[in-house]
Amino acid sequence: MKANRFLLSLAAFLAVCTAAMAQNDDYRPFLKEGKVWKCKVWMHHPTESRWITEYWNFFISGDSVVGDKTYKKMYREVEPSSESMGRTSFSDLWREADRKVYGLFAGFLHDGEEVLRYDFTLLPGESAYIWLDHTTTLISVDTLEAQGGRFRRYHVKLDDYEGDYWPDPDLVWVEGIGHPGGPGRVWGAEVNDGTVYTLLSVYEDGECIFTQDDFSAPAVHDATDGIGGKGQMRAVLPALPCHDLQGRRLSGKPAQGLYILGGRKVLISK
């Protein structure tokens, strides 16, 4: 009997490891050479009392080494129009490691300092300090289908808003894509001077992989919903060892509350 229990435990452990490896294997990188984010910007004219629309393309081209870290270079291209002659300029440096996306910016409040922009390692209920040190908490994760591919969608909330962005009421990040306002928006598409940023589409290898409408696509899988979500997270809990805060392992599905799941604290809702 003991041998059978050991084999069953080993099989369960291997299944969890396999699932974790699969989750990492199908992670969609945010930074890729040649990737393009096409955006629309509605803004006040710099010298006249009126509003204009410009189209900006952010794209990745080349690397830059700073200290012991290698960054991808992001450029901004303003498309020619009746309002602009068109121009291309360097935007900033980006780095991706262990499912986290960092930015290295010149000027503003973080001159030469690397800051965390997206954290795709969060579990529901966990928080991270995102750009400008705002506490951002993951509410739930689901999967959507867009342009023939599948993407993880992270529903997050900004816990301590102060600053230049109006937080979105339905704030989402999409793995490999970013925010509905563009790759660098993180929380809000509208700035307090009235400027509105809209991500129109994303291209990899010359092919469109995502559009603005895809952000609101219906979920095709929501097994990791958490706080305020659809309550599906509890259905997958037995796949990982779950303990209460005193370290006692639970034999069944836990009730609502704070637990340790797979070695990490997770808030579980109904």
Side-chain angles (χ1 to χ4, degrees):
M1 290 292 292
K2 289 184 177 180
N4 289 338
R5 284 198 297 269
F6 172 76
L7 291 175
L8 289 173
S9 298
L10 179 61
F13 174 75
L14 291 175
V16 170
C17 291
T18 300
M21 291 175 63
Q23 182 176 358
N24 288 331
D25 288 344
D26 63 5
Y27 170 72
R28 282 186 174 271
F30 187 82
L31 302 177
K32 184 177 180 180
E33 186 70 20
K35 191 169 188 173
V36 180
W37 290 262
K38 291 183 174 292
C39 303
K40 180 175 72 173
V41 183
W42 188 68
M43 58 192 294
H44 197 267
H45 193 281
T47 59
E48 301 176 14
S49 182
R50 60 189 179 91
W51 293 86
I52 61 173
T53 297
E54 289 189 345
Y55 292 90
W56 297 0
N57 300 324
F58 293 91
F59 62 92
I60 302 293
S61 179
D63 299 331
S64 181
V65 178
V66 179
D68 60 348
K69 298 174 182 176
T70 300
Y71 293 84
K72 302 298 292 184
K73 296 179 182 178
M74 183 176 288
Y75 292 85
R76 185 188 71 174
E77 176 193 38
V78 180
E79 294 186 0
S81 68
S82 58
E83 302 287 354
S84 173
M85 294 297 293
R87 60 192 180 276
T88 300
S89 59
F90 171 75
S91 177
D92 35 50
L93 297 175
W94 295 73
R95 182 176 71 89
E96 186 170 18
D98 300 324
R99 299 174 64 183
K100 296 181 180 181
V101 183
Y102 303 88
L104 186 65
F105 303 92
F108 199 41
L109 298 179
H110 289 267
D111 190 6
E113 178 183 350
E114 182 181 86
V115 295
L116 180 63
R117 299 304 301 265
Y118 295 100
D119 187 347
F120 295 108
T121 70
L122 294 175
L123 293 175
E126 291 185 334
S127 301
Y129 289 101
I130 307 299
W131 184 42
L132 301 185
D133 298 330
H134 290 306
T135 304
T136 304
T137 300
L138 176 62
I139 300 173
S140 63
V141 182
D142 56 24
T143 302
L144 60 87
E145 196 167 79
Q147 312 303 310
R150 290 196 171 190
F151 299 79
R152 288 191 190 90
R153 177 171 50 195
Y154 290 65
H155 300 265
V156 300
K157 67 185 182 73
L158 189 58
D159 297 328
D160 52 354
Y161 168 70
E162 289 181 7
D164 296 329
Y165 294 90
W166 299 113
D168 297 331
D170 185 19
L171 181 56
V172 296
W173 301 339
V174 173
E175 192 177 273
I177 302 298
H179 180 273
R185 293 303 97 193
V186 184
W187 310 300
E190 182 178 356
V191 182
N192 64 3
D193 66 359
T195 303
V196 179
Y197 299 84
T198 303
L199 176 62
L200 300 178
S201 54
V202 181
Y203 288 76
E204 282 187 357
D205 302 321
E207 295 185 2
C208 180
I209 62 169
F210 207 87
T211 70
Q212 175 66 213
D213 291 341
D214 294 325
F215 281 105
S216 57
V220 296
H221 177 65
D222 22 68
T224 53
D225 279 345
I227 311 168
K230 300 175 183 177
Q232 300 299 316
M233 185 177 179
R234 299 203 317 175
V236 299
L237 287 177
L240 290 174
C242 189
H243 301 77
D244 62 20
L245 295 185
Q246 286 71 47
R248 295 176 297 222
R249 181 161 182 164
L250 305 183
S251 57
K253 294 181 181 179
Q256 183 176 3
L258 190 62
Y259 296 90
I260 300 174
L261 177 64
R264 306 176 74 176
K265 286 184 180 179
V266 176
L267 182 62
I268 299 168
S269 65
K270 291 182 179 180

